Amino acid sequence: MAGFIDNIKHRGGMPHINSIVDIYNLESLRSAIATGGHDLDKVNGDVIVTVSGREDSFTAIGGSQKHVEPTDFIYCDDNGILAYLDVRDSELYKMSDDTHNVFFVMQGNENTSVEYRLEAMRRIEADLRQVNPDMEFTIEVASVE
């Protein structure tokens, strides 16, 4: 979240990307919960949350290379890394104006209860319904043990 807030300060305001991204970015600021969104139609296979286990890198949104340590948490599919800790998202899975199916990840920690995160995700759903009332929206909770 600190990097996101620093980016807003540097730019002098929150950048407009598209309606979906703007809605979940607003909720990230409101709830102080890191949230990522990805174009689900670009995902190949299952999405897995894991420790990288090896040195790796991926192209982050905006084109910079993000280095991943073997001990870093990532989520990935059969083609590569979708995001690093939900702090940096991959260019390969970013949403565009042509995106129809979205996959959100809302990361919590010991200071954010599951209920608090669910409330934030429900606000994203409510805001998205204002622009697309007929959309399908499913919330699933996963945990790492």
Side-chain angles (χ1 to χ4, degrees):
M1 282 303 304
F4 182 48
I5 292 170
D6 288 345
N7 188 11
I8 291 169
K9 288 178 183 176
H10 175 74
R11 292 174 182 248
M14 194 163 89
H16 166 68
I17 298 170
N18 64 46
S19 295
I20 298 170
V21 175
D22 294 350
I23 285 170
Y24 82 76
N25 277 343
L26 181 61
E27 182 54 41
S28 288
L29 287 173
R30 187 183 322 163
S31 63
I33 299 174
T35 305
H38 311 279
D39 188 325
L40 186 58
D41 293 328
K42 295 177 181 176
V43 172
N44 183 23
D46 293 331
V47 175
I48 299 168
V49 178
T50 188
V51 175
S52 176
R54 63 186 173 102
E55 297 265 336
D56 206 345
S57 67
F58 67 98
T59 304
I61 291 176
S64 65
Q65 285 295 301
K66 173 62 186 152
H67 178 77
V68 177
E69 295 288 338
T71 56
D72 288 340
F73 277 94
I74 60 170
Y75 48 100
C76 57
D77 71 355
D78 292 345
N79 291 336
I81 298 172
L82 277 77
Y84 158 80
L85 279 182
D86 211 28
V87 174
R88 289 279 182 248
D89 294 338
S90 171
E91 181 76 25
L92 295 176
Y93 304 91
K94 78 177 181 181
M95 288 182 265
S96 70
D97 290 335
D98 297 324
T99 297
H100 296 285
N101 297 294
V102 177
F103 167 66
F104 292 110
V105 174
M106 183 172 281
Q107 253 176 236
N109 58 49
E110 65 273 358
N111 298 315
T112 55
S113 68
V114 171
E115 188 54 41
Y116 182 74
R117 285 175 269 148
L118 287 170
E119 288 171 8
M121 190 59 76
R122 288 183 195 114
R123 284 191 296 268
I124 291 173
E125 177 183 8
D127 290 346
L128 287 170
R129 284 199 188 284
Q130 290 183 24
V131 294
N132 187 357
D134 298 325
M135 71 173 188
E136 292 181 34
F137 198 97
T138 304
I139 299 174
E140 296 183 25
V141 176
S143 63
V144 176
E145 298 182 21

